[in-house]
Amino acid sequence: MPATEIDEFLEVPEPGPFVDDVQYLLAYRYIFDSTKWFLNLLLVAVCQLIPFVGPIVTTGYQFEILEALHRRPSEVYPDFDFNRFVEYLTRGIWPFLVGLVAMAVLSPVFGILFFGSFAAVVALFFVALCLLGLAVLLALGLCLFPITLRAGLTQDFGAAFNVQFVKDFVSLMWVEMLLVSLFMMATAVLMAAGGYQARSFGLPLTMPAIV
């Protein structure tokens, strides 16, 4: 469509009823305004079955309807005419090509944004999961350490599960136990270089320092 026709299309519509909101149901109702509505639907459906060019022809017909309703809102939309098949095809090819080029250009950009966002969400979830696991391990260590410590000092299975002792010990030593646990985790990589046994002996050696 030439530029002059576009200006006319956008600026000089035929006067009609003013609509200040979106008429959603009109997208379905206006189809039945034509006495040949069933034939129009049938011909459009047949066009959709034509490989490749069918949807382009349908798009061209849709723009014919769009222009007609804009220029003559009080009249019925034009019926589908197979004699204008080439005209519909010619009119529909431009939106098709523009959409194809825009998709080719924008798809990688939005793909990068999507997968980048997805990777960021996965990374944040992984970090949150690691932090939660660390918190659980530290909390478990706070409970286990006084129990195993009392069992080792008293040589008594039942005495190890003294709840009051565990509460008192944790309330007095939780900071020191957390610091020792974090220290052992931070140095685990270096300790692993000397072998698993070196790491295994590290934690018992910290018990006297805590006590």
Side-chain angles (χ1 to χ4, degrees):
M1 183 186 295
T4 55
E5 294 185 15
I6 294 176
D7 293 337
E8 293 177 2
F9 171 70
L10 295 177
E11 298 178 6
V12 193
E14 179 182 303
F18 178 74
V19 179
D20 61 352
D21 58 354
V22 179
Q23 299 185 53
Y24 298 97
L25 295 180
L26 186 61
Y28 298 98
R29 289 202 308 264
Y30 88 93
I31 298 173
F32 304 101
D33 292 342
S34 173
T35 56
K36 299 180 179 180
W37 65 268
F38 181 77
L39 181 60
N40 291 331
L41 289 178
L42 181 62
L43 293 176
V44 169
V46 171
C47 275
Q48 291 292 91
L49 299 177
I50 302 176
F52 186 70
V53 299
I56 301 177
V57 172
T58 302
T59 300
Y61 176 55
Q62 288 174 336
F63 275 96
E64 290 278 321
I65 295 176
L66 173 65
E67 181 176 357
L69 292 178
H70 180 75
R71 291 181 180 275
R72 301 176 294 277
S74 59
E75 298 183 11
V76 179
Y77 66 91
D79 295 320
F80 190 95
D81 185 359
F82 246 116
N83 293 324
R84 303 190 65 230
F85 187 91
V86 176
E87 294 180 36
Y88 295 151
L89 178 63
T90 303
R91 186 160 195 176
I93 194 66
W94 298 112
F96 171 77
L97 292 177
V98 169
L100 195 65
V101 172
M103 184 176 296
V105 173
L106 295 178
S107 292
V109 176
F110 283 94
I112 292 173
L113 291 176
F114 172 77
F115 287 108
S117 301
F118 180 76
V121 170
V122 172
L124 289 175
F125 177 77
F126 179 75
V127 170
L129 190 63
C130 290
L131 292 176
L132 179 61
L134 177 61
V136 171
L137 288 176
L138 292 175
L140 181 62
L142 290 178
C143 295
L144 288 179
F145 188 81
I147 294 175
T148 56
L149 177 64
R150 186 174 175 84
L153 295 177
T154 62
Q155 298 293 298
D156 188 334
F157 182 84
F161 296 96
N162 188 307
V163 177
Q164 188 60 46
F165 172 79
V166 173
K167 291 173 59 178
D168 292 342
F169 190 92
V170 171
S171 64
L172 293 173
M173 304 297 297
W174 67 272
V175 174
E176 288 79 1
M177 286 192 294
L178 284 178
L179 291 176
V180 169
S181 297
L182 292 174
F183 173 78
M184 293 302 299
M185 291 179 183
T187 57
V189 176
L190 296 177
M191 296 290 288
Y196 180 78
Q197 290 299 323
R199 181 185 174 189
S200 300
F201 288 133
L203 184 58
L205 292 176
T206 62
M207 290 185 182
I210 295 178
V211 177

